Amino acid sequence: MPQVTAIYPGTFDPPTNGHLDIVMRGSRIFDRLVVAVLRNSSKGTPLFTTQERAEMLTEITRPFGNVTVATFDGLLVDFAQQQGATAVLRGIRAVSDYEYEFQMAMMNRKLDPNLETVFMQPAEKYTYVSSRLIKGVFQLGGDINSLVPEAVMQRLRTKVPASRVPPETGAST
Ligand code: PNS
C-alpha cells in the first residue's frame, strides 16, 4: 500500500482546540500529515506572525509522531506537490462552512486533478469555535481556556493588555 501524505492548510491565527481535534483525526487516517500555515493570508493583519503560529502548532502537535508543521506561500496545489501529498484535509464545522470549502476543493481539483480534498468534522463541543471568535472574545476579557491549547493561551496573554486578561487566567492586580 502506498503511503498517503495529506496537507492540513490554514491561517491558524491562532490554532484552536478545533484545529487540534482535526489534526488528531487526520493523523489517524493518513500516514503523514503536514500542517501548513499560509504565510500571506488575504484575511488582513494577523494577530500572530507566521513564525509564532508555526511555533504554537509545532508545540501542540508534538504528541503526534506523523505530524509536521510547515509554512507555505502561493498555490496550495504547488505546495502539496512539493510535499508529495495526495490529499488536502479540511475541517467542516457546520453546513455554513461547506459552500466555501466546496468551492476551494473544486478549484484545487481543477488545478490538480490528482489531489483529493477530505473533509472531517471536529468534536461537537468545538463546532462553534473559530480563530476569529477566540481572538475577539479573549480581547474583551472572556474566558476561552477550554477552547484553545495551553500553549496558545500563554501566547494570547502576551498579545493583549494585562487589564483585559480574565482574572482567573492571571491578570495582575
Ligand atoms: O484557515 P483558512 O483561512 O480558512 O485557510 C484558507 C487556505 C489557507 C486553505 C486557503 O486560503 C488556501 O489554500 N490558500 C492558498 C492559495 C490557493 O491555493 N488558492 C487557490 C485555492 S482556492
Side-chain angles (χ1 to χ4, degrees), residues 9-11 38 43 72 74-76 90 100 104 107-108:
T11 307
L38 179 65
K43 282 186 172 174
F72 79 106
L75 284 178
L76 177 61
R90 291 285 290 173
Y100 168 61
M104 277 206 300
M107 181 57 81
N108 284 330

Side-chain angles (χ1 to χ4, degrees), residues 9 50 126 173:
T50 310
Y126 301 133
T173 48

Side-chain angles (χ1 to χ4, degrees), residues 102-140:
F102 178 79
Q103 278 187 343
M104 277 206 300
M106 291 301 109
M107 181 57 81
N108 284 330
R109 177 177 286 170
K110 171 80 183 149
L111 296 170
D112 182 354
N114 296 316
L115 190 64
E116 286 299 334
T117 299
V118 175
F119 296 130
M120 297 186 89
Q121 299 75 45
E124 279 163 55
K125 60 184 173 184
Y126 301 133
T127 47
Y128 62 94
V129 177
S130 71
S131 298
R132 184 178 55 84
L133 281 185
I134 290 292
K135 282 181 286 192
V137 171
F138 188 75
Q139 279 164 349
L140 294 173

